[in-house]
């Protein structure tokens, strides 16, 4: 079937395949970056380093934005690839290459979700501890200054 392709069809096939592979690779790179940020974010959570935690959150949001943009481009290209893979007769090697990239990307997405879940749980624990500490500070049993007026306050 590959021999029956015209020059135009062959160049379309190559363009679709090349762009799709490139897009998958770009998305894979962004997910790796995001996973690294999430891991650093976990370290900041464990060390209770709020300044770095904030910076990693901002960076993570930027990467997520990039991933979403890539996903918007990838979805129609994936449909185009699926629609044309039989029409143009992509070779097994070409199909395997794309499938391998997609499988790797799926695994990376799972890793990101898992790491994100770990970070959310750590953050939840720390938020609960903060709430508990704030309640203790408002309790006269633990804080003798709760119901006292400041010597500097005017009455």
């Amino acid at each position: 079937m590959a021999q029956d392709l015209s020059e135009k069809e062959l160049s379309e096939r190559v363009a679709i395949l090349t762009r799709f592979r490139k897009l998958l690779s770009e998305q894979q790179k962004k997910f790796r970056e995001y996973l690294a940020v999430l891991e650093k974010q976990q370290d900041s959570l464990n060390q209770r380093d709020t300044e770095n935690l904030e910076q990693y959150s901002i960076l993570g949001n930027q990467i997520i934005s990039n991933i979403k943009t890539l996903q918007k481009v990838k979805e129609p290209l994936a449909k185009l690839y699926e629609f044309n893979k039989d029409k143009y007769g992509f070779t097994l090697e070409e199909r395997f290459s794309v499938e391998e990239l997609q499988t790797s990307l799926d695994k990376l997405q799972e890793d990101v979700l898992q790491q994100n879940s770990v970070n959310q749980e750590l953050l939840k624990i720390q938020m609960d501890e903060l709430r508990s500490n704030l309640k203790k500070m408002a309790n006269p049993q633990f804080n003798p200054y709760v119901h006292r007026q400041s010597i500097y306050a005017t009455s």
Side-chain angles (χ1 to χ4, degrees):
M1 175 155 191
Q3 293 83 5
D4 299 340
L5 295 176
S6 70
E7 192 65 35
K8 181 182 176 193
E9 289 174 328
L10 190 59
S11 61
E12 285 177 10
R13 169 184 156 175
V14 169
I16 291 170
L17 193 59
T18 302
R19 181 66 184 136
F20 192 48
R21 271 196 221 142
K22 183 178 179 190
L23 209 54
L24 288 173
S25 294
E26 286 177 36
Q27 198 170 27
Q28 195 175 40
K29 178 183 170 193
K30 290 295 176 189
F31 270 102
R32 279 193 190 110
E33 287 176 18
Y34 187 51
L35 186 58
V37 166
L38 286 174
E39 288 168 350
K40 289 177 183 176
Q41 193 177 49
Q42 181 184 4
D43 292 342
S44 293
L45 280 166
N46 287 331
Q47 297 170 2
R48 299 183 185 269
D49 184 352
T50 56
E51 289 179 19
N52 278 341
L53 180 61
E54 181 182 17
Q55 293 301 315
Y56 289 131
S57 294
I58 291 169
L59 183 59
N61 287 337
Q62 291 171 348
I63 293 171
I64 288 172
S65 177
N66 289 340
I67 289 171
K68 285 180 180 179
T69 302
L70 284 173
Q71 189 66 27
K72 286 179 185 177
V73 175
K74 181 187 142 203
E75 286 174 3
L77 200 54
K79 288 178 183 175
L80 188 63
Y81 169 78
E82 286 298 319
F83 178 75
N84 287 308
K85 75 179 179 185
D86 293 328
K87 177 182 174 186
Y88 291 144
F90 290 123
T91 66
L92 285 177
E93 184 179 311
E94 291 168 331
R95 286 183 189 190
F96 180 73
S97 167
V98 168
E99 289 170 9
E100 186 178 31
L101 274 171
Q102 187 62 51
T103 302
S104 175
L105 182 59
D106 291 344
K107 170 73 171 100
L108 215 54
Q109 286 173 324
E110 288 174 22
D111 292 348
V112 163
L113 289 173
Q114 184 179 9
Q115 183 65 47
N116 195 30
S117 178
V118 167
N119 288 5
Q120 285 178 353
E121 189 59 34
L122 279 172
L123 192 56
K124 183 178 180 254
I125 289 168
Q126 288 185 12
M127 292 293 289
D128 289 344
E129 287 175 7
L130 280 173
R131 283 187 192 101
S132 174
N133 288 341
L134 287 173
K135 283 181 183 178
K136 283 181 183 177
M137 287 177 62
N139 185 341
Q141 181 182 359
F142 297 105
N143 185 352
Y145 303 106
V146 167
H147 294 298
R148 294 203 178 158
Q149 189 173 3
S150 169
I151 59 170
Y152 300 108
T154 55
S155 13

